[in-house]
Amino acid sequence: MFWKKKQEQDLKTDEPLMAAEPIEPGSKSTQAELEEAAKKLAASLRTYAEASYAAKKAVPDEELTAAHYKVQIARKIATEGRIAYALGRCLPEHMAHWHAWSQRDDFMDRVGFEATEIKATRTTEEDGVRKVVVNTNDFTFRDRQYRLVFRDSGVSSSPDDHVHIGEVHFYAGESRVAKFDVTKDLMKEYSEWQFADLTGFRVGTWMQEVLDMAAEIEASRAQKMNSFSDDRARQAADEIDLG
């Protein structure tokens, strides 16, 4: 009996084990269907995103659009017509020291255009933590009263920014006809104020007169430079003997 049981056990042990059936990868047709479905889903989501953005986008404000266009036209007139140069650089640079020079007997020799009845002052204002230096220059040009107010706000508060910022307010009579933002790059060896933008502008006959002021200043500056060069040439010639 024992031998018989042993034999039965041996027979059971010799039976081969059933191997697990391998999982077949999806067919190529199934993969293509998945890729096609993914493309359609992505396209659908993209269409939805664009529609959602369009729905949330603000409706164009005609008044605001007109305002931007108006400012753009004013910038074009000011920059291409050299008003930006005249008021943003030429006159402020020329008048920078009038408040001090006006105390000198030879002050009018330093005025480079036909300005009369000049009154120039400098004051300071507190604007929060910033001190603003205000130069006010009143003068008459061709029987018309003008005022140029220059507000120097100092160096920009932006980190690592070496730009000086200021404002020019120009008045013809009692009306302010121009308000410009100006900047000066302190990193340059020789830097002058430059027009940056305008925040107020009224077209008028004053523009031609401002251009004439700038032209007279430039001509006066050139004449002084030429005179200086001529004087040096004369002095050098007196010390030269060519034999």
Side-chain angles (χ1 to χ4, degrees):
M1 293 294 293
F2 174 78
W3 176 84
K4 186 176 182 180
K5 288 182 179 180
K6 177 70 174 173
Q7 189 177 28
E8 290 177 356
Q9 290 176 356
D10 292 341
L11 290 173
K12 290 180 180 180
T13 303
D14 293 337
E15 291 180 0
L17 297 175
M18 297 295 292
E21 294 184 2
I23 299 175
E24 294 290 338
S27 64
K28 290 184 178 180
S29 60
T30 302
Q31 291 179 356
E33 290 175 358
L34 287 174
E35 291 179 1
E36 184 63 25
K39 288 180 181 179
K40 290 181 178 180
L41 178 58
S44 177
L45 290 173
R46 183 168 57 251
T47 301
Y48 175 81
E50 292 172 353
S52 178
Y53 175 78
K56 302 298 187 295
K57 190 176 180 180
V59 177
D61 187 329
E62 293 184 1
E63 183 180 356
L64 184 58
T65 301
H68 280 289
Y69 182 72
K70 191 175 184 180
V71 173
Q72 180 183 347
I73 294 300
R75 286 197 193 103
K76 184 179 181 65
I77 295 172
T79 54
E80 296 184 11
R82 298 198 83 215
I83 299 296
Y85 163 75
L87 290 180
R89 178 178 177 180
C90 185
L91 266 69
E93 288 288 346
H94 186 66
M95 298 179 179
H97 304 292
W98 273 16
H99 66 283
W101 290 350
S102 60
Q103 307 303 314
R104 298 169 56 109
D105 293 336
D106 62 347
F107 170 53
M108 293 308 298
D109 294 336
R110 298 171 179 268
V111 177
F113 65 105
E114 296 180 3
T116 60
E117 301 177 5
I118 298 173
K119 180 181 178 182
T121 61
R122 169 175 285 186
T123 58
T124 58
E125 298 178 1
E126 298 294 333
D127 184 9
V129 297
R130 186 185 296 276
K131 183 174 73 172
V132 181
V133 178
V134 183
N135 285 352
T136 303
N137 302 285
D138 292 291
F139 60 95
T140 298
F141 183 77
R142 296 178 183 171
D143 299 324
R144 189 173 185 180
Q145 187 67 33
Y146 289 100
R147 169 180 288 179
L148 188 146
V149 179
F150 189 87
R151 298 176 59 84
D152 184 348
S153 298
V155 180
S156 170
S157 58
S158 300
D160 301 324
D161 197 344
H162 303 282
V163 174
H164 226 61
I165 56 177
E167 289 182 355
V168 176
H169 300 235
F170 190 72
Y171 295 79
E174 298 296 325
S175 301
R176 186 173 66 185
V177 293
K179 182 182 177 185
F180 293 171
D181 292 332
V182 293
T183 59
K184 179 187 289 189
D185 187 355
L186 300 180
M187 295 299 290
K188 294 182 178 179
E189 184 176 356
Y190 179 71
S191 179
E192 292 186 328
W193 290 103
Q194 302 283 345
F195 170 83
D197 200 1
L198 60 78
T199 54
F201 191 69
R202 296 182 182 278
V203 172
T205 56
W206 63 269
M207 297 187 299
Q208 288 90 337
E209 296 197 343
V210 163
L211 293 178
D212 288 341
M213 295 176 201
E216 290 182 16
I217 291 170
E218 290 175 331
S220 174
R221 184 185 302 170
Q223 183 179 3
K224 289 179 180 178
M225 290 295 294
N226 292 336
S227 177
F228 176 76
S229 178
D230 292 343
D231 289 343
R232 284 177 58 88
R234 290 191 184 96
Q235 292 174 5
D238 290 341
E239 299 296 327
I240 295 174
D241 184 358
L242 299 178

